[in-house]
Amino acid sequence: MADIGKNLGTAVKVLRNSGLVAIPTETVYGLAGNALDHKAILHIFEVKNRPSFDPLIVHLHHMDQLSEYTLDLPEKAKILAEKLWPGPLTIVLKKDPAIPDVATSGLDSVAIRIPAHPLTLELLSKLDFPLVAPSANPFGYISPTNPEHVNDQLGNKIDYILDGGSSRIGIESTIITFNEDKPEILRLGGTSLEKIESLIGSTIVRASQLNPIAPGMMESHYSPDKRVVLGNVVELMNIYPVEESVFLRFKKPVPGVNKDQQFILSETGNLEEAAQNLFSTLRILDKLDIKYIIAEQVPDTGLGKAINDRLRRASAKKNEINNKDENY
Ligand code: TXA
Ligand code: MG
């Protein structure tokens, strides 16, 4: 298992020597390496079992560094960067050759973010290179929101886990790109669409396309191993055996089901709280001795859109597999 601690000196040393450190961010934990170091980048792909065509996000300390790593900054991107960074927003920009092609899977664009976590910002300020950091989970699984999640799955493959507590937002950053200056959302996430549109006007949401531009858009991403069934919980109770199921609801328990089979994302109906709890709850449910996670969508506004997106993706893979099973 990896060492877990708050020692920035250790983290700096590991990163300077091409090693990997799991870092806390306000969204989810990242698996970080030197963004200018081929060896570190290739190691990240290997540890995550991530396909080489899935590009990484480059994490910066300050907007001033943009000119070093990107080629131009559309006006609307500048507004978002100035208003929302540090924060849960990733902006795809034209790549400067300073960023190695392996980091961006050969694309001529690079995804950039300044994370809003004090420990990681301090770490970045101590380094003379940016950090590439995908979420610190095996490819396709649920993103980690605390050091134990990282340790559970990647602990024996990485050098150090920087402990910054539980992630405040709990869901990955929103990804935006500019297609000839027109803003397109590639992944719904920790910055709400409403927030973005209040700053730069309307956007096109491409996050639910079938042909993914960003692999995070793939239908079966963010999946637990257990089968997630999404729909009206009360109706699904009549279809799936209650004794082999747990119920994941937004606000209220399902009437007539044991309390210990019920998991509530936010008793006060707060979507921020629900986002914060989503991934850690799914991880808990995935470890239970049950067959089905019966879940329902949350209100489709604010962070609710990103929560519903993750629930839909979590349910996608298992349905595919199960449909195949049912055919045999
Ligand atoms: O909140 C987050 O964004 C976290 C924390 C650690 O910062 N990171 C994260 O990284 O979620 P990852 O690698 O799990 O997801 C990054 C997504 C991938 O779906 C990738 O395809 C997309 O960003 N992406 C990266 N570079 C891109 C580019 N140049 N164009 C389009 N999509 C890109
Ligand atoms: Mg990820």
Side-chain angles (χ1 to χ4, degrees):
M1 291 287 113
D3 278 342
I4 303 180
K6 297 179 192 299
N7 193 329
L8 286 175
T10 305
V12 166
K13 208 160 127 197
V14 169
L15 290 164
R16 282 198 184 131
N17 287 307
S18 306
L20 305 185
V21 174
I23 56 165
T25 87
E26 81 283 27
T27 57
V28 300
Y29 271 69
L31 177 60
N34 178 348
L36 309 179
D37 179 337
H38 286 235
K39 190 174 152 200
I41 298 168
L42 292 174
H43 197 191
I44 289 178
F45 279 94
E46 186 189 315
V47 165
K48 272 190 62 100
N49 200 11
R50 180 179 179 111
S52 59
F53 58 77
D54 189 2
L56 305 177
I57 296 176
V58 172
H59 295 68
L60 301 181
H61 173 243
H62 198 278
M63 254 190 88
D64 290 350
Q65 295 172 284
L66 277 182
S67 57
E68 217 175 314
Y69 301 111
T70 65
L71 291 183
D72 63 35
L73 189 61
E75 191 49 39
K76 287 178 178 172
K78 187 166 174 230
I79 295 171
L80 292 178
E82 277 170 352
K83 300 270 187 207
L84 301 178
W85 279 349
L89 178 73
T90 295
I91 307 180
V92 176
L93 296 166
K94 288 221 166 62
K95 178 179 107 64
D96 185 278
I99 300 289
D101 289 337
V102 273
T104 61
S105 306
L107 296 176
D108 58 8
S109 61
V110 58
I112 305 266
R113 168 166 127 77
I114 301 181
H117 192 290
L119 204 55
T120 288
L121 280 175
E122 200 181 335
L123 172 66
L124 284 163
S125 77
K126 290 179 186 295
L127 300 168
D128 54 5
F129 47 82
L131 293 174
V132 272
S135 51
N137 49 281
F139 184 72
Y141 196 70
I142 309 158
S143 295
T145 55
N146 66 40
E148 290 70 39
H149 293 165
V150 181
N151 211 16
D152 262 3
Q153 292 185 303
L154 303 181
N156 56 356
K157 296 180 177 168
I158 61 180
D159 301 296
Y160 192 58
I161 300 175
L162 193 58
D163 182 357
S166 290
S167 296
R168 181 169 54 82
I169 307 275
I171 209 157
E172 302 84 351
S173 61
T174 300
I175 304 180
I176 190 165
T177 190
F178 290 84
N179 190 352
E180 294 179 351
D181 290 349
K182 284 198 293 293
E184 293 183 358
I185 305 291
L186 297 182
R187 179 173 74 183
L188 295 161
T191 301
S192 71
L193 206 55
E194 291 89 335
K195 180 89 209 169
I196 291 172
E197 295 195 333
S198 75
L199 293 169
I200 59 165
S202 66
T203 61
I204 298 170
V205 179
R206 301 183 66 169
S208 53
Q209 272 199 179
L210 276 181
N211 265 338
I213 306 170
M217 294 161 69
M218 286 191 299
E219 282 296 321
S220 64
H221 234 64
Y222 314 106
S223 300
D225 294 327
K226 293 273 153 56
R227 179 166 174 204
V228 177
V229 188
L230 195 57
N232 179 318
V233 164
V234 177
E235 282 171 17
L236 290 170
M237 271 173 66
N238 298 322
I239 303 171
Y240 292 88
V242 170
E243 62 285 0
E244 289 181 290
S245 307
V246 282
F247 298 86
L248 179 62
R249 293 201 95 191
F250 176 45
K251 223 165 121 172
K252 288 203 180 96
V254 207
V257 176
N258 267 341
K259 245 190 151 166
D260 58 2
Q261 282 173 270
Q262 307 231 30
F263 294 79
I264 307 297
L265 289 174
S266 169
E267 279 174 9
T268 58
N270 177 315
L271 288 166
E272 274 80 27
E273 186 184 24
Q276 204 176 59
N277 288 332
L278 179 67
F279 289 159
S280 50
T281 307
L282 282 174
R283 278 180 185 253
I284 292 170
L285 303 188
D286 211 17
K287 285 186 176 161
L288 298 177
D289 185 20
I290 45 105
K291 255 187 164 160
Y292 306 103
I293 300 171
I294 311 281
E296 67 178 6
Q297 302 230 319
V298 303
D300 204 46
T301 124
L303 291 196
K305 283 195 195 324
I307 296 173
N308 287 336
D309 171 85
R310 301 305 186 273
L311 285 171
R312 219 169 33 74
R313 287 169 207 277
S315 69
K317 183 166 80 180
K318 296 298 145 188
N319 286 340
E320 258 163 48
I321 291 170
N322 201 68
N323 286 345
K324 277 190 203 127
D325 286 352
E326 278 164 5
N327 289 337
Y328 286 108

